[in-house]
Amino acid sequence: MAVWPANRPAPSLTENAAPDPHVLEEVVLAEIHFLTCHACTARFRAVYPDTGLPIFGRHIGAHQLINGCPRCGSDFAASRIQALTLLPLP
């Protein structure tokens, strides 16, 4: 999925509209992943950024990342929890 920064709403994309070269500015590609905190074993469904593509990976700085476990408060080094956002478990 394409994720725009919170301060920049996603544009209205239609099939007939000519693409604006600035439409993808600050966009990061992401996937839904299940993450488990290594400190407290809490499970989360997360929008996980894919920074492997150079054109999109360089925009990660425009996004505010979650870097730690919201349940136990451990930082990223202990929890290994990092995401663009956390979603409710199904």
Side-chain angles (χ1 to χ4, degrees):
M1 74 180 70
V3 180
W4 276 260
N7 64 348
R8 193 165 166 241
S12 174
L13 302 173
T14 63
E15 292 180 31
N16 298 330
D20 179 352
H22 299 289
V23 141
L24 295 178
E25 201 169 290
E26 298 182 334
V27 166
V28 171
L29 297 182
E31 297 179 324
I32 304 295
H33 283 248
F34 286 91
L35 304 176
T36 301
C37 176
H38 289 217
C40 73
T41 69
R43 288 189 39 82
F44 302 96
R45 192 168 64 130
V47 178
Y48 190 78
D50 178 0
T51 57
L53 296 173
I55 191 166
F56 293 110
R58 69 177 185 228
H59 299 299
I60 196 71
H63 297 262
Q64 185 173 358
L65 290 172
I66 295 167
N67 285 306
C69 179
R71 182 171 176 205
C72 71
S74 61
D75 64 7
F76 172 74
S79 69
R80 308 310 289 173
I81 299 291
Q82 185 176 62
L84 292 165
T85 191
L86 298 176
L87 305 169
L89 287 172

Coordinates of all heavy atoms in Angstrom, one line a residue:
M1 N 0.8 -1.2 0.0 CA 0.0 0.0 0.0 C 0.9 1.2 0.0 O 2.0 1.2 0.4 CB -0.9 0.0 1.2 CG -0.3 0.3 2.5 SD -1.4 0.3 3.9 CE -1.7 -1.4 4.1
A2 N 0.3 2.3 -0.5 CA 1.0 3.6 -0.4 C 0.5 4.4 0.8 O -0.6 4.5 1.0 CB 0.7 4.4 -1.7
V3 N 1.5 5.0 1.5 CA 1.1 5.7 2.7 C 1.7 7.1 2.6 O 2.9 7.3 2.4 CB 1.7 5.0 4.0 CG1 1.4 5.8 5.2 CG2 1.3 3.6 4.1
W4 N 0.8 8.1 2.7 CA 1.2 9.5 2.7 C 1.4 9.9 4.2 O 0.8 9.4 5.1 CB 0.1 10.4 2.1 CG 0.2 10.4 0.6 CD1 0.8 11.4 -0.1 CD2 -0.2 9.5 -0.3 NE1 0.7 11.1 -1.5 CE2 0.0 9.9 -1.6 CE3 -0.9 8.2 -0.2 CZ2 -0.3 9.2 -2.8 CZ3 -1.2 7.5 -1.4 CH2 -0.9 8.0 -2.6
P5 N 2.3 10.9 4.4 CA 2.5 11.4 5.8 C 1.2 12.0 6.3 O 0.3 12.4 5.6 CB 3.5 12.6 5.6 CG 4.2 12.3 4.3 CD 3.2 11.6 3.4
A6 N 1.0 11.9 7.6 CA -0.2 12.3 8.3 C -0.6 13.8 8.0 O -1.8 14.1 7.9 CB -0.1 12.1 9.8
N7 N 0.4 14.6 7.8 CA 0.1 16.1 7.5 C -0.2 16.3 6.1 O -0.4 17.5 5.7 CB 1.2 16.9 8.0 CG 2.5 16.7 7.2 OD1 2.6 15.7 6.5 ND2 3.5 17.5 7.4
R8 N -0.3 15.3 5.3 CA -0.5 15.5 3.8 C -1.5 14.4 3.4 O -1.2 13.2 3.3 CB 0.8 15.3 3.1 CG 0.7 15.7 1.7 CD 2.1 15.8 1.1 NE 1.9 15.9 -0.4 CZ 2.3 15.1 -1.3 NH1 3.1 14.1 -0.9 NH2 2.0 15.2 -2.5
P9 N -2.8 14.8 3.2 CA -3.8 13.8 2.8 C -3.5 13.2 1.4 O -2.9 13.8 0.6 CB -5.1 14.7 2.7 CG -4.7 16.1 2.6 CD -3.3 16.2 3.2
A10 N -4.0 12.0 1.3 CA -3.8 11.3 0.0 C -4.6 12.0 -1.1 O -5.7 12.5 -0.8 CB -4.3 9.8 0.2
P11 N -4.0 12.1 -2.2 CA -4.7 12.8 -3.3 C -5.9 12.0 -3.8 O -5.9 10.7 -3.6 CB -3.6 12.9 -4.4 CG -2.7 11.8 -4.1 CD -2.7 11.6 -2.7
S12 N -6.8 12.6 -4.5 CA -7.9 11.9 -5.2 C -7.4 11.4 -6.5 O -7.1 12.2 -7.4 CB -9.1 12.9 -5.4 OG -10.1 12.3 -6.1
L13 N -7.2 10.1 -6.6 CA -6.7 9.5 -7.8 C -7.8 8.9 -8.6 O -8.6 8.1 -8.1 CB -5.7 8.4 -7.4 CG -4.5 8.9 -6.6 CD1 -3.6 7.7 -6.2 CD2 -3.7 9.9 -7.4
T14 N -7.9 9.3 -9.8 CA -9.0 8.7 -10.7 C -8.3 8.1 -12.0 O -7.2 8.6 -12.3 CB -10.0 9.7 -11.1 OG1 -9.4 10.7 -11.9 CG2 -10.7 10.3 -9.9
E15 N -8.9 7.2 -12.6 CA -8.3 6.6 -13.8 C -8.1 7.6 -15.0 O -7.2 7.5 -15.7 CB -9.2 5.5 -14.3 CG -9.2 4.3 -13.4 CD -10.1 3.2 -13.9 OE1 -10.2 3.1 -15.1 OE2 -10.7 2.5 -13.1
N16 N -9.0 8.6 -15.0 CA -8.9 9.6 -16.1 C -8.0 10.8 -15.9 O -7.7 11.5 -16.8 CB -10.3 10.1 -16.5 CG -11.2 8.9 -16.9 OD1 -10.7 8.0 -17.5 ND2 -12.5 9.0 -16.7
A17 N -7.6 11.0 -14.7 CA -6.8 12.1 -14.3 C -5.3 11.9 -14.8 O -4.8 10.8 -14.7 CB -6.8 12.4 -12.8
A18 N -4.7 13.0 -15.3 CA -3.3 12.9 -15.7 C -2.5 12.9 -14.4 O -2.8 13.6 -13.5 CB -2.9 14.2 -16.5
P19 N -1.5 12.0 -14.4 CA -0.7 11.9 -13.1 C 0.1 13.1 -12.9 O 0.8 13.7 -13.7 CB 0.2 10.7 -13.4 CG 0.2 10.4 -14.9 CD -1.1 11.1 -15.4
D20 N 0.1 13.6 -11.6 CA 0.9 14.7 -11.2 C 2.2 14.2 -10.6 O 2.2 13.3 -9.8 CB 0.1 15.4 -10.1 CG 0.8 16.6 -9.5 OD1 2.0 16.8 -9.9 OD2 0.2 17.4 -8.7
P21 N 3.3 14.7 -11.1 CA 4.6 14.1 -10.7 C 4.8 14.3 -9.2 O 5.6 13.6 -8.6 CB 5.6 14.8 -11.5 CG 4.9 16.0 -12.1 CD 3.5 15.7 -12.1
H22 N 4.1 15.2 -8.5 CA 4.3 15.5 -7.1 C 3.4 14.6 -6.2 O 3.5 14.7 -5.0 CB 4.1 17.0 -6.8 CG 5.1 17.8 -7.5 ND1 6.4 17.9 -7.2 CD2 4.9 18.6 -8.6 CE1 7.1 18.7 -8.0 NE2 6.2 19.2 -8.9
V23 N 2.5 13.8 -6.9 CA 1.5 13.0 -6.1 C 2.2 12.0 -5.2 O 1.8 11.7 -4.1 CB 0.6 12.3 -7.1 CG1 0.2 10.9 -6.7 CG2 -0.7 13.1 -7.3
L24 N 3.4 11.5 -5.6 CA 4.1 10.5 -4.8 C 5.1 11.1 -3.9 O 5.9 10.3 -3.3 CB 4.7 9.4 -5.8 CG 3.7 8.6 -6.6 CD1 4.5 7.7 -7.5 CD2 2.8 7.9 -5.6
E25 N 5.2 12.4 -3.8 CA 6.2 13.0 -3.0 C 5.9 12.6 -1.5 O 4.8 12.8 -1.0 CB 6.0 14.6 -3.1 CG 7.2 15.3 -2.7 CD 7.1 16.8 -3.1 OE1 7.2 17.0 -4.3 OE2 6.9 17.6 -2.2
E26 N 6.9 12.2 -0.8 CA 6.9 11.7 0.6 C 6.1 10.5 0.8 O 5.8 10.1 1.9 CB 6.5 12.9 1.5 CG 7.4 14.1 1.4 CD 7.0 15.2 2.4 OE1 5.8 15.3 2.7 OE2 7.8 15.9 2.8
V27 N 5.8 9.7 -0.2 CA 5.0 8.5 -0.1 C 6.0 7.4 0.3 O 7.1 7.3 -0.1 CB 4.3 8.1 -1.4 CG1 3.9 6.7 -1.4 CG2 3.2 9.0 -1.6
V28 N 5.5 6.5 1.2 CA 6.3 5.3 1.6 C 5.4 4.1 1.2 O 4.2 4.1 1.4 CB 6.6 5.3 3.1 CG1 7.2 4.0 3.6 CG2 7.6 6.4 3.4
L29 N 6.0 3.1 0.7 CA 5.3 1.8 0.5 C 5.3 1.0 1.8 O 6.3 1.0 2.5 CB 5.9 1.0 -0.7 CG 5.8 1.7 -2.0 CD1 6.4 0.8 -3.1 CD2 4.4 2.2 -2.4
A30 N 4.2 0.3 2.0 CA 4.1 -0.5 3.2 C 3.3 -1.8 3.0 O 2.6 -1.9 2.1 CB 3.5 0.4 4.3
E31 N 3.4 -2.7 4.0 CA 2.7 -3.9 4.0 C 2.1 -4.1 5.4 O 2.7 -3.6 6.4 CB 3.5 -5.1 3.7 CG 4.1 -5.1 2.3 CD 5.0 -6.3 2.0 OE1 5.7 -6.8 3.0 OE2 5.0 -6.8 0.9
I32 N 1.1 -4.9 5.5 CA 0.5 -5.3 6.8 C 1.3 -6.5 7.3 O 1.4 -7.5 6.6 CB -1.0 -5.6 6.8 CG1 -1.8 -4.5 6.1 CG2 -1.5 -6.0 8.1 CD1 -1.8 -3.2 7.0
H33 N 1.9 -6.3 8.5 CA 2.7 -7.4 9.2 C 2.1 -7.7 10.6 O 1.5 -6.8 11.2 CB 4.1 -7.0 9.3 CG 4.9 -7.1 8.1 ND1 5.9 -8.0 7.9 CD2 4.9 -6.4 6.9 CE1 6.4 -7.8 6.7 NE2 5.8 -6.8 6.1
F34 N 2.3 -8.8 11.1 CA 2.1 -9.1 12.5 C 3.4 -9.1 13.2 O 4.4 -9.7 12.8 CB 1.4 -10.5 12.7 CG 0.0 -10.5 12.3 CD1 -0.4 -10.8 11.0 CD2 -1.0 -10.2 13.2 CE1 -1.7 -10.8 10.6 CE2 -2.4 -10.1 12.8 CZ -2.7 -10.5 11.5
L35 N 3.5 -8.3 14.3 CA 4.7 -8.1 15.0 C 4.5 -8.6 16.5 O 3.4 -8.4 17.0 CB 5.1 -6.6 15.1 CG 5.3 -5.9 13.7 CD1 5.6 -4.5 13.9 CD2 6.4 -6.6 12.9
T36 N 5.5 -9.1 17.1 CA 5.4 -9.6 18.4 C 6.5 -8.9 19.2 O 7.7 -8.9 18.8 CB 5.6 -11.1 18.5 OG1 4.6 -11.8 17.8 CG2 5.5 -11.6 20.0
C37 N 6.2 -8.3 20.3 CA 7.2 -7.6 21.2 C 8.1 -8.7 21.8 O 7.6 -9.6 22.4 CB 6.5 -6.8 22.3 SG 7.6 -6.1 23.5
H38 N 9.4 -8.5 21.6 CA 10.4 -9.4 22.2 C 10.5 -9.3 23.7 O 11.1 -10.1 24.3 CB 11.7 -9.2 21.5 CG 11.8 -9.7 20.1 ND1 12.8 -10.3 19.5 CD2 10.8 -9.6 19.1 CE1 12.6 -10.6 18.3 NE2 11.3 -10.2 18.0
A39 N 10.0 -8.2 24.3 CA 10.1 -8.0 25.7 C 8.9 -8.6 26.5 O 9.0 -9.3 27.5 CB 10.2 -6.5 26.0
C40 N 7.6 -8.3 26.0 CA 6.4 -8.8 26.7 C 5.6 -9.7 25.9 O 4.5 -10.1 26.4 CB 5.6 -7.5 27.1 SG 4.7 -6.7 25.8
T41 N 5.9 -10.1 24.7 CA 5.2 -11.0 23.8 C 3.8 -10.5 23.3 O 3.0 -11.2 22.8 CB 5.1 -12.4 24.4 OG1 4.2 -12.4 25.5 CG2 6.4 -13.0 24.8
A42 N 3.5 -9.2 23.5 CA 2.3 -8.6 23.0 C 2.4 -8.7 21.5 O 3.4 -8.5 20.9 CB 2.1 -7.2 23.4
R43 N 1.2 -9.0 20.9 CA 1.1 -9.1 19.4 C 0.4 -7.9 18.8 O -0.6 -7.4 19.4 CB 0.4 -10.4 19.0 CG 1.3 -11.6 19.2 CD 0.8 -12.9 18.6 NE 0.1 -12.8 17.3 CZ 0.8 -12.8 16.1 NH1 2.1 -12.8 16.1 NH2 0.1 -12.8 15.0
F44 N 0.9 -7.4 17.7 CA 0.3 -6.2 17.0 C 0.2 -6.5 15.5 O 1.0 -7.2 15.0 CB 1.1 -5.0 17.2 CG 1.3 -4.6 18.6 CD1 2.5 -5.0 19.3 CD2 0.4 -3.9 19.3 CE1 2.7 -4.7 20.6 CE2 0.6 -3.5 20.7 CZ 1.7 -3.9 21.3
R45 N -0.8 -5.9 14.9 CA -0.9 -5.9 13.5 C -0.5 -4.5 13.1 O -0.9 -3.5 13.7 CB -2.4 -6.1 13.0 CG -2.5 -6.4 11.5 CD -3.9 -6.9 11.2 NE -4.9 -5.9 11.5 CZ -5.8 -5.5 10.7 NH1 -6.0 -6.0 9.5 NH2 -6.7 -4.6 11.0
A46 N 0.5 -4.4 12.2 CA 1.2 -3.1 11.9 C 1.3 -2.8 10.5 O 1.4 -3.7 9.6 CB 2.5 -3.2 12.6
V47 N 1.3 -1.5 10.1 CA 1.6 -1.1 8.8 C 3.1 -0.9 8.8 O 3.6 0.0 9.4 CB 0.9 0.2 8.5 CG1 1.3 0.7 7.1 CG2 -0.6 0.0 8.6
Y48 N 3.8 -1.8 8.2 CA 5.3 -1.9 8.2 C 5.9 -1.3 7.0 O 5.6 -1.7 5.9 CB 5.7 -3.3 8.4 CG 7.1 -3.5 8.7 CD1 7.6 -3.3 10.0 CD2 8.0 -3.9 7.7 CE1 8.9 -3.5 10.3 CE2 9.4 -4.1 8.0 CZ 9.8 -3.8 9.3 OH 11.1 -4.0 9.6
P49 N 6.7 -0.3 7.1 CA 7.3 0.4 5.9 C 8.3 -0.5 5.2 O 9.0 -1.3 5.8 CB 8.0 1.6 6.5 CG 8.4 1.2 7.9 CD 7.3 0.3 8.4
D50 N 8.2 -0.4 3.9 CA 9.1 -1.1 3.0 C 10.1 -0.1 2.4 O 9.7 0.7 1.5 CB 8.4 -1.9 1.9 CG 9.3 -2.6 0.9 OD1 10.6 -2.5 1.1 OD2 8.8 -3.2 0.0
T51 N 11.3 0.0 2.9 CA 12.2 1.0 2.5 C 13.2 0.4 1.5 O 14.2 1.1 1.2 CB 13.0 1.6 3.7 OG1 13.6 0.5 4.4 CG2 12.0 2.3 4.6
G52 N 12.9 -0.7 0.9 CA 13.8 -1.4 0.0 C 13.9 -0.7 -1.4 O 14.9 -0.8 -2.1
L53 N 12.9 0.0 -1.8 CA 12.9 0.6 -3.1 C 13.4 2.0 -2.9 O 12.9 2.8 -2.2 CB 11.5 0.7 -3.7 CG 10.8 -0.6 -4.0 CD1 9.4 -0.5 -4.4 CD2 11.6 -1.3 -5.1
P54 N 14.5 2.4 -3.5 CA 15.2 3.6 -3.3 C 14.3 4.9 -3.5 O 14.4 5.8 -2.7 CB 16.3 3.7 -4.3 CG 16.6 2.3 -4.7 CD 15.2 1.5 -4.5
I55 N 13.4 4.8 -4.4 CA 12.6 6.0 -4.7 C 11.6 6.3 -3.5 O 11.3 7.4 -3.2 CB 11.9 6.0 -6.0 CG1 11.2 7.3 -6.4 CG2 10.8 4.9 -6.0 CD1 10.8 7.4 -7.8
F56 N 11.1 5.2 -2.9 CA 10.2 5.4 -1.8 C 10.9 5.4 -0.4 O 10.5 6.0 0.5 CB 9.1 4.3 -1.8 CG 8.2 4.5 -3.0 CD1 8.3 3.6 -4.1 CD2 7.4 5.6 -3.1 CE1 7.5 3.7 -5.2 CE2 6.5 5.7 -4.3 CZ 6.6 4.8 -5.3
G57 N 11.9 4.6 -0.3 CA 12.6 4.4 1.0 C 13.2 5.7 1.5 O 13.3 6.0 2.7
R58 N 13.6 6.7 0.6 CA 14.2 7.9 1.1 C 13.2 8.9 1.7 O 13.5 9.8 2.3 CB 14.9 8.6 -0.1 CG 13.9 9.1 -1.1 CD 14.7 9.9 -2.2 NE 13.7 10.4 -3.2 CZ 13.8 10.3 -4.5 NH1 14.8 9.7 -5.0 NH2 12.9 10.9 -5.2
H59 N 11.9 8.6 1.6 CA 10.8 9.4 2.2 C 10.4 9.0 3.6 O 9.5 9.7 4.2 CB 9.6 9.4 1.3 CG 9.9 9.9 -0.1 ND1 10.3 11.2 -0.3 CD2 9.7 9.3 -1.3 CE1 10.4 11.4 -1.6 NE2 10.1 10.2 -2.2
I60 N 11.1 8.0 4.2 CA 10.6 7.6 5.5 C 10.7 8.7 6.6 O 10.0 8.7 7.5 CB 11.4 6.3 5.9 CG1 10.8 5.6 7.1 CG2 12.9 6.6 6.3 CD1 9.5 4.9 6.8
G61 N 11.7 9.6 6.4 CA 11.8 10.7 7.3 C 10.6 11.6 7.4 O 10.5 12.4 8.4
A62 N 9.7 11.6 6.4 CA 8.5 12.5 6.4 C 7.4 11.8 7.3 O 6.4 12.5 7.5 CB 8.0 12.7 5.0
H63 N 7.7 10.6 7.8 CA 6.7 9.9 8.6 C 7.1 9.8 10.0 O 8.3 9.7 10.3 CB 6.4 8.5 8.0 CG 5.9 8.5 6.6 ND1 4.6 8.4 6.3 CD2 6.5 8.7 5.4 CE1 4.4 8.5 5.0 NE2 5.6 8.7 4.4
Q64 N 6.2 9.8 10.9 CA 6.5 9.5 12.3 C 6.3 8.1 12.6 O 5.2 7.5 12.5 CB 5.5 10.4 13.2 CG 5.9 10.3 14.7 CD 5.1 11.2 15.5 OE1 4.3 12.0 15.0 NE2 5.3 11.1 16.8
L65 N 7.4 7.4 13.0 CA 7.3 6.0 13.2 C 7.0 5.7 14.7 O 7.5 6.4 15.6 CB 8.7 5.3 12.8 CG 9.0 5.2 11.4 CD1 10.4 4.8 11.2 CD2 8.1 4.3 10.6
I66 N 6.4 4.5 14.9 CA 6.3 4.0 16.3 C 7.5 3.2 16.5 O 7.8 2.3 15.7 CB 5.0 3.1 16.4 CG1 3.8 4.0 16.2 CG2 5.0 2.3 17.7 CD1 2.5 3.2 16.0
N67 N 8.3 3.5 17.5 CA 9.6 2.8 17.7 C 9.6 2.2 19.1 O 10.3 2.7 20.0 CB 10.7 3.8 17.5 CG 11.0 4.0 16.1 OD1 11.2 3.1 15.3 ND2 11.0 5.3 15.8
G68 N 8.8 1.2 19.4 CA 8.8 0.6 20.7 C 7.4 0.0 20.9 O 6.5 0.2 20.1
C69 N 7.3 -0.7 22.0 CA 6.0 -1.4 22.4 C 5.1 -0.5 23.2 O 5.5 0.0 24.2 CB 6.3 -2.7 23.2 SG 4.8 -3.6 23.6
P70 N 3.9 -0.2 22.7 CA 3.0 0.6 23.4 C 2.4 -0.1 24.7 O 1.9 0.6 25.6 CB 1.9 1.0 22.4 CG 2.0 -0.1 21.4 CD 3.4 -0.6 21.4
R71 N 2.5 -1.4 24.7 CA 2.0 -2.1 25.9 C 2.9 -2.1 27.1 O 2.6 -1.7 28.2 CB 1.7 -3.6 25.5 CG 1.1 -4.3 26.6 CD 0.6 -5.7 26.1 NE 0.1 -6.4 27.2 CZ 0.0 -7.7 27.2 NH1 0.4 -8.4 26.2 NH2 -0.4 -8.4 28.2
C72 N 4.2 -2.5 26.9 CA 5.1 -2.5 28.0 C 6.1 -1.3 28.1 O 6.8 -1.2 29.0 CB 5.9 -3.8 27.9 SG 7.2 -3.9 26.6
G73 N 6.1 -0.5 27.0 CA 7.0 0.7 27.0 C 8.4 0.4 26.6 O 9.2 1.4 26.7
S74 N 8.8 -0.8 26.3 CA 10.2 -1.0 25.9 C 10.5 -0.4 24.6 O 9.6 -0.2 23.7 CB 10.5 -2.5 25.8 OG 9.7 -3.1 24.9
D75 N 11.8 0.0 24.4 CA 12.2 0.7 23.2 C 12.3 -0.3 22.0 O 12.2 -1.5 22.2 CB 13.4 1.5 23.4 CG 14.6 0.7 23.8 OD1 14.5 -0.6 23.7 OD2 15.7 1.3 24.1
F76 N 12.7 0.2 20.9 CA 12.8 -0.6 19.7 C 13.9 -1.7 19.9 O 13.7 -2.8 19.5 CB 13.1 0.2 18.4 CG 13.5 -0.6 17.3 CD1 12.5 -1.3 16.6 CD2 14.8 -0.8 16.8 CE1 12.8 -2.1 15.5 CE2 15.1 -1.5 15.7 CZ 14.1 -2.2 15.1
A77 N 15.0 -1.3 20.5 CA 16.1 -2.3 20.7 C 15.6 -3.5 21.4 O 16.0 -4.7 21.1 CB 17.2 -1.6 21.4
A78 N 14.7 -3.4 22.4 CA 14.2 -4.5 23.2 C 13.0 -5.1 22.6 O 12.9 -6.4 22.5 CB 13.9 -4.1 24.6
S79 N 12.1 -4.3 22.1 CA 10.8 -4.9 21.6 C 10.9 -5.3 20.1 O 10.1 -6.2 19.7 CB 9.8 -3.8 21.7 OG 10.0 -2.7 20.8
R80 N 11.7 -4.7 19.3 CA 11.7 -4.9 17.9 C 10.4 -4.5 17.2 O 10.1 -5.0 16.1 CB 12.1 -6.4 17.5 CG 13.4 -6.9 18.2 CD 14.5 -6.0 18.0 NE 15.1 -5.9 16.7 CZ 16.0 -5.1 16.3 NH1 16.5 -4.3 17.1 NH2 16.4 -5.1 15.0
I81 N 9.7 -3.6 17.8 CA 8.4 -3.1 17.3 C 8.7 -1.8 16.6 O 9.2 -0.8 17.2 CB 7.3 -2.9 18.4 CG1 7.0 -4.2 19.1 CG2 6.1 -2.2 17.8 CD1 6.2 -5.2 18.2
Q82 N 8.5 -1.7 15.3 CA 8.6 -0.5 14.5 C 7.5 -0.5 13.5 O 7.4 -1.5 12.8 CB 10.0 -0.3 13.9 CG 10.1 1.0 13.2 CD 11.5 1.2 12.7 OE1 12.0 0.4 11.9 NE2 12.2 2.2 13.3
A83 N 6.8 0.6 13.3 CA 5.7 0.6 12.3 C 5.3 2.0 12.0 O 5.6 2.9 12.8 CB 4.5 -0.2 12.8
L84 N 4.6 2.2 10.9 CA 4.0 3.5 10.6 C 2.8 3.7 11.5 O 2.5 4.8 11.9 CB 3.6 3.6 9.1 CG 4.8 3.6 8.2 CD1 4.3 3.3 6.7 CD2 5.5 4.9 8.2
T85 N 2.1 2.7 11.7 CA 0.9 2.7 12.6 C 0.6 1.3 13.1 O 0.9 0.3 12.4 CB -0.3 3.4 12.0 OG1 -1.3 3.7 13.0 CG2 -0.9 2.6 10.9
L86 N -0.1 1.2 14.2 CA -0.6 -0.1 14.6 C -2.1 -0.2 14.4 O -2.8 0.8 14.5 CB -0.3 -0.3 16.1 CG 1.2 -0.3 16.5 CD1 1.4 -0.4 18.0 CD2 1.9 -1.4 15.8
L87 N -2.6 -1.4 14.0 CA -4.0 -1.6 13.7 C -4.5 -2.6 14.7 O -3.8 -3.4 15.3 CB -4.1 -2.2 12.3 CG -3.5 -1.4 11.2 CD1 -3.4 -2.2 9.9 CD2 -4.2 -0.1 11.0
P88 N -5.9 -2.6 14.9 CA -6.5 -3.6 15.8 C -6.2 -5.0 15.3 O -6.2 -5.2 14.1 CB -8.0 -3.2 15.8 CG -8.1 -1.9 15.1 CD -6.8 -1.7 14.3
L89 N -6.1 -5.9 16.2 CA -6.0 -7.3 15.8 C -7.3 -7.8 15.3 O -8.4 -7.4 15.8 CB -5.5 -8.2 16.9 CG -4.0 -8.1 17.3 CD1 -3.7 -8.8 18.6 CD2 -3.1 -8.5 16.2
P90 N -7.3 -8.7 14.3 CA -8.6 -9.2 13.7 C -9.3 -10.1 14.7 O -8.8 -10.6 15.6 CB -8.3 -9.9 12.5 CG -6.8 -10.2 12.5 CD -6.2 -9.2 13.5

